[in-house]
Amino acid sequence: MSDIDVVGVVGAGQMGAGIAEVCARAGVTVTLFDIEAGIVDRGMKRIDQSLARAERGGRITAGERAEARSRITPATDLRAFADARLVVEAVVEDETVKLDVFRRLDAVVADPDAVLASNTSSIPIMKMAMATNRPDRVIGIHFFNPVPVLKLVEIVPSLLTSERTEQRAREFATDVLGKTAVRAKDRAGFIVNSLLVPYLLAAVRMLDSGFASAEDIDNGMVIGCAHPMGPLRLADLIGLDTVKAIAEAMYKEYKEPLYAPAPLLLRMVQAGRLGKKVGLGFYDYPD
Ligand SMILES: NC(=O)c1ccc[n+]([C@@H]2O[C@H](COP(=O)([O-])OP(=O)(O)OC[C@H]3O[C@@H](n4cnc5c(N)ncnc54)[C@H](O)[C@@H]3O)[C@@H](O)[C@H]2O)c1
């Protein structure tokens, strides 16, 4: 039985908001942090919209929606995490930013037993563990987007993660949140992104070469292979800045050309076309 009933989430973007929502829906008290009040508010709005969708779809009642919402407190001061028994870091996929967050969490999280988890897609857990004085309590809990919909989590212990930390992280993900857990070694990309990202990059290269249109590439995989969405739409959903960051982290780790970010992806990110979250990527997403 999990003893984790108070959770802090760092980063109120697509993933942080989703993680906060599933925790609150599972009855856990959540603090959701981001660097500015306006950004946390956007995250809370995202949660409101998602809870409203769940109610409309009959997956939760109006009462459950209100209760879940009341369990989430927005914050812009990390000291609000003092009592957290688990913190999930879900800030941008940037090593410098993540290491800084872990240093600060180590200073403010008072419970010596608390689990410090990262939702990173590709940055080695060991790096974040070594930014703290409690590397045995640092672990990867990698959720999938959209968090309220997709059941998988990857549990990623580093060489220094204790068995107890791994067990507590797994129990929380499976018993409390109802997720299905797979265990991956602490290698950039873990299981899913090691397979997925080279495929997404191949689709971007195919588009860039003029081989086929975006719609035809996506239709090929949706209609021909029964994928729920094509690779370019999926890259837009993940966020092109995030896909680029994951590819770079894997390229740095393995030095394999298949992980090298495609030039068109780099140009899209430089142009601020980051995908669905900003309304424009390989496709348009009018509000
Ligand atoms: N997008 C996906 O499909 C997906 C899936 C699984 C895991 N992830 C991982 O989740 C993490 C977040 O991705 P996302 O898609 O939510 O990105 P996002 O761009 O939607 O959100 C990132 C958030 O981090 C915040 N942030 C930046 N610096 C910060 C700091 N110093 N302290 C606190 N917050 C800070 C930003 O303000 C932003 O709200 C990344 O590590 C990413 O690799 C993403």
Side-chain angles (χ1 to χ4, degrees), residues 10-119:
V10 196
Q14 341 185 59
M15 294 304 290
I19 295 164
E21 179 187 337
V22 294
C23 290
R25 281 168 67 169
V28 173
T29 303
V30 187
T31 303
L32 178 61
F33 169 94
D34 211 301
I35 41 181
E36 283 172 25
I39 303 178
V40 193
D41 288 348
R42 249 194 350 248
M44 296 299 287
K45 198 167 147 218
R46 201 190 285 269
I47 294 171
D48 284 336
Q49 288 165 345
S50 175
L51 287 172
R53 264 197 309 276
E55 187 191 336
R56 276 198 305 276
R59 294 183 293 284
I60 54 173
T61 64
E64 285 164 345
R65 170 187 167 182
E67 272 177 31
R69 183 61 174 74
S70 72
R71 291 190 192 104
I72 309 172
T73 308
T76 51
D77 184 341
L78 219 49
R79 281 175 298 186
F81 286 17
D83 297 332
R85 298 186 62 72
L86 164 69
V87 177
V88 184
E89 168 281 308
V91 307
V92 278
E93 189 73 345
D94 178 312
E95 190 177 313
T96 311
V97 176
K98 287 194 190 285
L99 294 190
D100 181 54
V101 166
F102 271 84
R103 264 181 227 114
R104 288 162 56 208
L105 286 175
D106 194 32
V108 299
V109 177
D111 179 357
D113 217 23
V115 174
L116 304 184
S118 176
N119 183 51

Side-chain angles (χ1 to χ4, degrees), residues 45-197:
K45 198 167 147 218
R46 201 190 285 269
I47 294 171
D48 284 336
Q49 288 165 345
S50 175
L51 287 172
R53 264 197 309 276
E55 187 191 336
R56 276 198 305 276
R59 294 183 293 284
I60 54 173
T61 64
E64 285 164 345
R65 170 187 167 182
E67 272 177 31
R69 183 61 174 74
S70 72
R71 291 190 192 104
I72 309 172
T73 308
T76 51
D77 184 341
L78 219 49
R79 281 175 298 186
F81 286 17
D83 297 332
R85 298 186 62 72
L86 164 69
V87 177
V88 184
E89 168 281 308
V91 307
V92 278
E93 189 73 345
D94 178 312
E95 190 177 313
T96 311
V97 176
K98 287 194 190 285
L99 294 190
D100 181 54
V101 166
F102 271 84
R103 264 181 227 114
R104 288 162 56 208
L105 286 175
D106 194 32
V108 299
V109 177
D111 179 357
D113 217 23
V115 174
L116 304 184
S118 176
N119 183 51
T120 180
S121 306
S122 55
I123 298 167
I125 303 304
M126 183 62 84
K127 292 197 174 177
M128 288 167 275
M130 294 308 281
T132 73
N133 291 306
R134 39 180 129 178
D136 55 316
R137 278 147 287 166
V138 176
I139 191 163
I141 306 181
H142 184 222
F143 291 83
F144 287 79
N145 184 17
V147 184
V149 177
L150 293 186
K151 285 279 176 210
L152 189 73
V153 292
E154 290 177 313
I155 298 286
V156 189
S158 84
L159 280 179
L160 299 178
T161 306
S162 69
E163 274 180 31
R164 178 169 147 71
T165 299
E166 182 178 346
Q167 190 190 349
R168 291 178 75 216
R170 179 181 282 268
E171 274 177 11
F172 181 76
T174 57
D175 302 357
V176 178
L177 301 184
K179 299 291 187 190
T180 298
V182 293
R183 184 176 196 268
K185 233 180 173 177
D186 185 21
R187 300 285 182 272
F190 315 133
I191 297 171
V192 174
N193 281 315
S194 294
L195 295 170
L196 178 65
V197 170

